Structures are given as structure tokens and as C-alpha cells.
Amino acid sequence: LLASLVYFVVFLIFVVAATEVLGIRIVIETLNSFIAYLPQVFGAIFVFIFLAYLGRLLQQVVSNFLESYQFAYGRVLGRVLEVLVVIFALVMALQKLGFETTIFTANLTLVLAVSLSAVGLALALGMRDVARKVVAGFYLRRHFDVGDEIQMGTLKGKVLSFENTAVKGETPEGVVLIPNDQILENIVQIKKSS
């Protein structure tokens, strides 16, 4: 690759010298403007390759980090991040080449904002029940303590701990997890531990 690049540059220098000797002015001007444009091309290629490599590295780091916490979609999120970095690299390379990218970046920003809003809305709607249980747990901690005995309908037991979305209790049948929102929405008898 490097040898062919050097060959191409030497060939261009030879062609420029030959056209100057022959006095072909339009060819000389065209070749000079092309040669003057080459550093921008090499700069754009360097920027794209560097950022694409950085995107791949970022994808691996994010994927491995999320998978170490058993996050189900770690690879997918890492790949999405890599694609975003490559798109950013493409835009930067095009700008380096002198292309106008305002319309492209405006549309890309719009698509990205709509996509992130859709994901946020889906997560918010999907997490509605979890959020209700977490908030209910906040209020339950004000009324119950670990060790209190509670009775809700036919279920009777002792509070062992407060989890994020449930209360862990011990009943004669064994350990149970009662969702926080169910406790908050039902009539509960409390016998405080001493």
C-alpha cells in the first residue's frame, strides 16, 4: 500500500514536470490543484481510520463492561456506540475533504433525537410498574421496620428486609417476597417489634 502510494506521488510529480516542459497550462493547473488537495484526502483517511478504530475499541470496552454486570444487551449497545462513532468519523472526514455536511448532520441529529426519545419512552412505559414498586418501597420504610410482624389478608409474617421492589418476609410456609405496591394498596395490620 505504501509502495503504491509512493509510486503514485512520484508518477504525479513526473506528469507535472512533463506537462510544464510541454507547456500544457490547463493540465498543469489541474494537476497542481489535485496535488494541493492530496493532504486533505490523507488527513480525512487518517481521521476516519483513527476514529473507526476508536469506535471498535469503545465497542469492546462497553460490551465487556456491561457483560461483566450480566447486562443482557451489552453487545448490542456496544455495537450501536461503534456505529455512532463511525458515522461521526465519516462526517468529520467529509468535512476535512471540504464537503458541506450541515444538512446531513442536522438530519442525523434529528434521527438520533427521535430514536433516543423513542427508546426513552419505551423504557419509561416499561419501567412504570417497577417505578411504582420502588416509590411504594420508599413509603413502606416509613411505616415498617425490619422485625415487625405484618398481616395482609391471609398472609402473616415477619419483615426480614426491604428490597428495591419488594419486602422480604418470613412466613410459616417459608420466605416470601411481597411486591411493595401490593402492601401499600392493601390493608395491613402491623405489630411493631420491640
Side-chain angles (χ1 to χ4, degrees):
L1 180 66
L2 185 60
S4 61
L5 184 64
V6 169
Y7 170 78
F8 182 70
V9 169
V10 169
F11 180 74
L12 274 177
I13 292 171
F14 174 75
V15 169
V16 168
T19 54
E20 282 181 11
V21 169
L22 293 174
I24 307 172
R25 194 87 189 127
I26 194 158
V27 175
I28 295 170
E29 290 173 5
T30 304
L31 286 174
N32 283 337
S33 63
F34 178 72
I35 290 172
Y37 190 65
L38 279 178
Q40 292 175 324
V41 172
F42 293 135
I45 291 171
F46 175 76
V47 165
F48 183 78
I49 289 173
F50 176 74
L51 287 177
Y53 175 75
L54 187 66
R56 174 57 60 114
L57 186 65
L58 201 57
Q59 180 262 337
Q60 291 173 350
V61 167
V62 168
S63 296
N64 291 338
F65 175 76
L66 292 176
E67 284 183 352
S68 71
Y69 286 102
Q70 284 82 33
F71 189 73
Y73 300 103
R75 290 256 180 243
V76 173
L77 286 177
R79 182 62 78 187
V80 167
L81 188 61
E82 179 185 13
V83 167
L84 289 175
V85 170
V86 168
I87 290 172
F88 177 71
L90 180 63
V91 169
M92 284 190 65
L94 289 174
Q95 284 177 341
K96 187 85 174 144
L97 291 173
F99 289 98
E100 183 59 45
T101 58
T102 306
I103 293 173
F104 180 73
T105 54
N107 288 333
L108 183 63
T109 303
L110 182 65
V111 167
L112 192 59
V114 168
S115 300
L116 289 176
S117 297
V119 168
L121 182 62
L123 284 175
L125 292 175
M127 299 287 288
R128 185 181 57 203
D129 290 335
V130 173
R132 182 174 51 206
K133 290 175 184 173
V134 170
V135 171
F138 172 74
Y139 290 111
L140 288 179
R141 286 179 179 88
R142 292 182 172 188
H143 299 290
F144 304 134
D145 293 315
V146 173
D148 287 353
E149 291 194 21
I150 60 170
Q151 181 172 350
M152 183 177 75
T154 60
L155 188 64
K156 183 177 182 179
K158 182 174 153 183
V159 175
L160 294 176
S161 65
F162 293 98
E163 306 296 325
N164 290 329
T165 58
V167 172
K168 185 186 274 188
E170 184 177 20
T171 66
E173 291 82 26
V175 176
V176 295
L177 284 175
I178 308 165
N180 290 337
D181 58 335
Q182 287 184 10
I183 297 173
L184 196 61
E185 293 171 358
N186 289 303
I187 297 173
V188 178
Q189 294 178 343
I190 306 168
K191 182 179 176 188
K192 290 284 190 183
S193 62
S194 37

